[in-house]
Short mmCIF file of all heavy atoms in Angstrom, two decimals:
data_model
loop_
_atom_site.label_atom_id
_atom_site.label_comp_id
_atom_site.label_asym_id
_atom_site.label_seq_id
_atom_site.Cartn_x
_atom_site.Cartn_y
_atom_site.Cartn_z
N VAL A 55 18.00 56.73 -18.15
CA VAL A 55 17.45 57.77 -17.28
C VAL A 55 16.65 57.17 -16.13
O VAL A 55 16.91 57.46 -14.96
CB VAL A 55 16.58 58.77 -18.08
CG1 VAL A 55 15.91 59.78 -17.16
CG2 VAL A 55 17.42 59.47 -19.14
N ALA A 84 11.60 56.15 -27.21
CA ALA A 84 12.37 57.19 -27.88
C ALA A 84 13.78 56.65 -28.06
O ALA A 84 14.17 55.68 -27.41
CB ALA A 84 12.37 58.47 -27.05
N PHE A 96 15.17 54.85 -24.92
CA PHE A 96 14.57 55.47 -23.74
C PHE A 96 13.15 54.96 -23.53
O PHE A 96 12.45 54.63 -24.50
CB PHE A 96 14.53 56.99 -23.89
CG PHE A 96 15.89 57.59 -24.11
CD1 PHE A 96 16.36 57.79 -25.40
CD2 PHE A 96 16.71 57.90 -23.04
CE1 PHE A 96 17.62 58.32 -25.62
CE2 PHE A 96 17.97 58.44 -23.25
CZ PHE A 96 18.42 58.64 -24.54
N GLY A 98 10.61 56.62 -22.86
CA GLY A 98 9.66 57.51 -23.49
C GLY A 98 10.31 58.84 -23.82
O GLY A 98 11.50 59.07 -23.53
N ALA A 99 9.53 59.73 -24.41
CA ALA A 99 10.05 61.04 -24.82
C ALA A 99 10.54 61.84 -23.63
O ALA A 99 11.54 62.56 -23.72
CB ALA A 99 8.96 61.81 -25.57
N ARG A 100 9.88 61.71 -22.49
CA ARG A 100 10.30 62.47 -21.31
C ARG A 100 11.72 62.10 -20.91
O ARG A 100 12.54 62.98 -20.63
CB ARG A 100 9.33 62.22 -20.15
CG ARG A 100 9.70 63.02 -18.91
CD ARG A 100 8.70 62.83 -17.82
NE ARG A 100 8.92 61.55 -17.16
CZ ARG A 100 8.35 61.20 -16.01
NH1 ARG A 100 7.52 62.01 -15.42
NH2 ARG A 100 8.60 60.04 -15.48
N CYS A 101 12.03 60.80 -20.91
CA CYS A 101 13.39 60.38 -20.55
C CYS A 101 14.42 60.90 -21.56
O CYS A 101 15.52 61.28 -21.18
CB CYS A 101 13.47 58.86 -20.43
SG CYS A 101 12.68 58.21 -18.93
N LEU A 102 14.05 60.93 -22.84
CA LEU A 102 14.94 61.49 -23.86
C LEU A 102 15.26 62.94 -23.55
O LEU A 102 16.42 63.37 -23.62
CB LEU A 102 14.30 61.37 -25.25
CG LEU A 102 15.03 62.08 -26.38
CD1 LEU A 102 16.27 61.30 -26.79
CD2 LEU A 102 14.10 62.26 -27.57
N PHE A 103 14.27 63.72 -23.17
CA PHE A 103 14.49 65.13 -22.88
C PHE A 103 15.29 65.33 -21.59
O PHE A 103 16.11 66.25 -21.50
CB PHE A 103 13.17 65.90 -22.86
CG PHE A 103 12.70 66.26 -24.24
CD1 PHE A 103 11.97 65.36 -24.99
CD2 PHE A 103 13.05 67.47 -24.80
CE1 PHE A 103 11.56 65.66 -26.28
CE2 PHE A 103 12.65 67.79 -26.10
CZ PHE A 103 11.90 66.89 -26.84
N VAL A 104 15.11 64.48 -20.61
CA VAL A 104 15.93 64.55 -19.40
C VAL A 104 17.39 64.27 -19.77
O VAL A 104 18.30 64.99 -19.34
CB VAL A 104 15.43 63.55 -18.33
CG1 VAL A 104 16.43 63.42 -17.19
CG2 VAL A 104 14.06 63.96 -17.81
N TYR A 105 17.62 63.26 -20.57
CA TYR A 105 18.96 62.87 -21.04
C TYR A 105 19.63 64.04 -21.76
O TYR A 105 20.79 64.34 -21.53
CB TYR A 105 18.79 61.68 -21.98
CG TYR A 105 20.04 61.00 -22.46
CD1 TYR A 105 20.68 60.06 -21.67
CD2 TYR A 105 20.52 61.21 -23.75
CE1 TYR A 105 21.79 59.36 -22.14
CE2 TYR A 105 21.61 60.52 -24.22
CZ TYR A 105 22.26 59.60 -23.41
OH TYR A 105 23.35 58.90 -23.90
N ASN A 106 18.87 64.70 -22.63
CA ASN A 106 19.40 65.85 -23.37
C ASN A 106 19.66 67.05 -22.46
O ASN A 106 20.55 67.86 -22.74
CB ASN A 106 18.42 66.28 -24.47
CG ASN A 106 18.34 65.30 -25.60
OD1 ASN A 106 19.17 64.40 -25.72
ND2 ASN A 106 17.33 65.44 -26.43
N SER A 107 18.89 67.18 -21.39
CA SER A 107 19.00 68.33 -20.50
C SER A 107 20.24 68.29 -19.61
O SER A 107 20.76 69.34 -19.23
CB SER A 107 17.77 68.43 -19.60
OG SER A 107 16.62 68.64 -20.39
N ILE A 108 20.68 67.09 -19.25
CA ILE A 108 21.85 66.96 -18.37
C ILE A 108 22.80 65.89 -18.93
O ILE A 108 23.05 64.87 -18.30
CB ILE A 108 21.44 66.65 -16.91
CG1 ILE A 108 20.36 65.57 -16.85
CG2 ILE A 108 21.04 67.88 -16.17
CD1 ILE A 108 19.96 65.16 -15.45
N GLN A 122 17.49 61.80 -33.37
CA GLN A 122 16.68 61.47 -32.20
C GLN A 122 15.26 61.23 -32.67
O GLN A 122 14.73 61.95 -33.53
CB GLN A 122 16.73 62.60 -31.17
CG GLN A 122 18.11 62.74 -30.56
CD GLN A 122 18.10 63.59 -29.32
OE1 GLN A 122 17.62 64.71 -29.34
NE2 GLN A 122 18.64 63.05 -28.24
N VAL A 124 11.12 59.82 -31.54
CA VAL A 124 10.07 59.55 -30.57
C VAL A 124 8.98 58.77 -31.30
O VAL A 124 8.94 58.74 -32.53
CB VAL A 124 9.50 60.85 -29.95
CG1 VAL A 124 10.52 61.52 -29.05
CG2 VAL A 124 9.02 61.82 -31.03
N VAL A 135 12.42 63.75 -33.62
CA VAL A 135 11.96 64.58 -32.52
C VAL A 135 11.82 66.05 -32.95
O VAL A 135 10.92 66.75 -32.48
CB VAL A 135 12.86 64.42 -31.27
CG1 VAL A 135 14.19 65.10 -31.44
CG2 VAL A 135 12.14 64.91 -30.03
N GLU A 136 12.68 66.49 -33.87
CA GLU A 136 12.61 67.89 -34.31
C GLU A 136 11.31 68.21 -35.05
O GLU A 136 10.92 69.36 -35.14
CB GLU A 136 13.80 68.23 -35.23
CG GLU A 136 15.14 68.15 -34.57
CD GLU A 136 15.73 66.73 -34.57
OE1 GLU A 136 15.15 65.82 -35.19
OE2 GLU A 136 16.78 66.55 -33.93
N ALA A 138 8.37 66.63 -34.27
CA ALA A 138 7.26 66.19 -33.43
C ALA A 138 6.60 67.37 -32.71
O ALA A 138 7.25 68.35 -32.37
CB ALA A 138 7.76 65.18 -32.40
N LEU A 140 4.59 67.95 -29.24
CA LEU A 140 4.52 67.23 -27.97
C LEU A 140 3.44 67.80 -27.06
O LEU A 140 3.32 69.03 -26.92
CB LEU A 140 5.87 67.30 -27.26
CG LEU A 140 7.05 66.77 -28.08
CD1 LEU A 140 8.36 67.26 -27.52
CD2 LEU A 140 7.00 65.26 -28.13
N GLU A 153 3.93 62.18 -19.10
CA GLU A 153 4.77 61.85 -20.25
C GLU A 153 4.55 62.89 -21.33
O GLU A 153 3.49 63.52 -21.40
CB GLU A 153 4.40 60.45 -20.77
CG GLU A 153 5.22 59.96 -21.95
CD GLU A 153 6.70 59.84 -21.64
OE1 GLU A 153 7.11 58.83 -21.05
OE2 GLU A 153 7.45 60.77 -22.00
N LEU A 154 5.55 63.09 -22.15
CA LEU A 154 5.41 63.91 -23.36
C LEU A 154 4.81 62.99 -24.42
O LEU A 154 5.40 61.96 -24.75
CB LEU A 154 6.77 64.42 -23.83
CG LEU A 154 7.46 65.43 -22.92
CD1 LEU A 154 8.92 65.56 -23.29
CD2 LEU A 154 6.76 66.77 -23.01
#
Side-chain angles (χ1 to χ4, degrees):
V55 175
F96 302 92
R100 182 176 78 168
C101 286
L102 171 76
F103 279 85
V104 169
Y105 187 81
N106 290 347
S107 297
I108 45 177
Q122 292 194 307
V124 291
V135 73
E136 296 86 6
L140 303 162
E153 181 61 82
L154 292 165

